[in-house]
Amino acid sequence: MYAILFDIDGTLLQSGGAGCAAFVETFRAVFQLNEFPEGICFAGRSDRAIAQEIMQRSKIEPSPANWQRFFEDYCGRLEKSLKVCEGTVLPGVVELLDALEEDSHTAVGLLTGNTHFGAQAKTGVYGLAGRFAFGGYGDQRTDRNAIAVDARLAAEEYVAAASSNGLLCGAMVIGDTPADVRCGRAIDAFVVAVATGGSSREELADCQPDLLLEDLTDTGDLLAEVSAAQRRCSQLVSQS
Ligand SMILES: [Mg+2]
């Protein structure tokens, strides 16, 4: 089987700033932080890394206990924030997921800096619940490349249980930031960059993804690569 690993924010959907708003509100409520540090970059990073940077810049100890305090409050605030912020599923996403779902040789999962809870909440609100069988998340990781390794391992475990030969032949990573491209490289994946998030087409081109798309409406080349990867996969299996 071949694994397709999707980033969430800026790739599958835009949450209308719900995550950022929930971060600001949580820090205000739990840590009495009234002046949220300026210029915090949310794109392409793990929630834990973002929280850690905010803590460091605000003289809050970035300890596991403080992460836990943050996380417990953040979950409820994110759910509320997702209901009031106006976001959208990005163009072509549902059609691509439908096409991949019909393909029994493909395993579809998440590779996201969101926490597991945040990933479920965001995909759930936007009607994408149940579309992803496994994932790598940002709960315990500050390094996106480590999340990619988690996602790849989760894909291997899923495929071992779900497919007849139990073999994962390769992976594709689809994301909207240079960090997605780099983490895809870290696990030897075929990397698709899509310019529907915070990064421009030029910024993404500089990272040299294997495929660069304006959005996910025209996925002919992407699906052709999935088919080619599956052919390589069946050759490998038949030779073994
Ligand atoms: Mg993203």
Side-chain angles (χ1 to χ4, degrees):
M1 276 181 115
Y2 188 63
I4 317 282
L5 303 169
F6 282 93
D7 168 59
I8 296 180
D9 298 285
T11 302
L12 294 172
L13 56 89
Q14 290 284 10
S15 71
C20 178
F23 259 79
V24 172
E25 285 166 18
T26 305
F27 269 98
R28 189 181 294 136
V30 178
F31 300 100
Q32 292 73 53
L33 183 67
N34 293 317
E35 282 192 39
F36 198 77
E38 281 181 24
I40 297 286
C41 171
F42 281 75
R45 302 178 66 197
S46 85
D47 281 358
R48 185 136 186 181
I50 298 164
Q52 194 165 299
E53 184 190 344
I54 296 165
M55 287 179 196
Q56 280 162 343
R57 288 180 54 185
S58 310
K59 311 263 183 296
I60 300 163
E61 194 196 347
S63 61
N66 276 339
W67 161 255
Q68 200 54 35
R69 286 176 68 201
F70 166 83
F71 176 67
E72 280 166 16
D73 192 81
Y74 172 76
C75 293
R77 288 182 196 278
L78 177 65
E79 280 183 318
K80 282 192 199 129
S81 183
L82 282 166
K83 286 185 191 136
V84 293
C85 291
E86 281 188 30
T88 185
V89 177
L90 287 163
V93 164
V94 172
E95 292 79 2
L96 175 59
L97 291 172
D98 285 345
L100 294 172
E101 213 164 272
E102 279 176 24
D103 178 352
S104 61
H105 299 293
T106 297
V108 179
L110 293 168
L111 193 181
T112 173
N114 282 280
T115 60
H116 192 185
F117 178 90
Q120 305 277 30
K122 286 183 183 176
T123 53
V125 160
Y126 287 96
L128 304 175
R131 295 288 203 152
F132 309 96
F134 53 88
Y137 307 95
D139 302 69
Q140 306 300 334
R141 303 294 196 190
T142 53
D143 176 2
R144 197 174 181 91
N145 291 7
I147 299 176
V149 172
D150 288 346
R152 167 114 196 177
L153 284 172
E156 282 170 8
E157 277 173 26
Y158 171 77
V159 169
S163 81
S164 52
N165 62 31
L167 194 66
L168 179 72
C169 294
M172 173 183 283
V173 168
I174 307 177
D176 70 302
T177 66
D180 295 87
V181 178
R182 286 194 293 272
C183 81
R185 292 274 168 261
I187 55 166
D188 285 330
F190 183 94
V191 181
V192 180
V194 59
T196 43
S199 304
S200 68
R201 207 185 154 86
E202 291 68 33
E203 279 173 287
L204 293 171
D206 283 346
C207 309
Q208 299 181 307
D210 298 300
L211 188 59
L212 175 54
L213 300 174
E214 209 59 50
D215 59 29
L216 293 175
T217 53
D218 183 3
T219 49
D221 290 345
L222 187 159
L223 292 171
E225 171 56 27
V226 173
S227 301
Q230 284 167 347
R231 279 196 299 278
R232 293 194 293 272
C233 190
S234 17
Q235 277 163 8
L236 270 178
V237 171
S238 64
Q239 283 162 11
S240 63

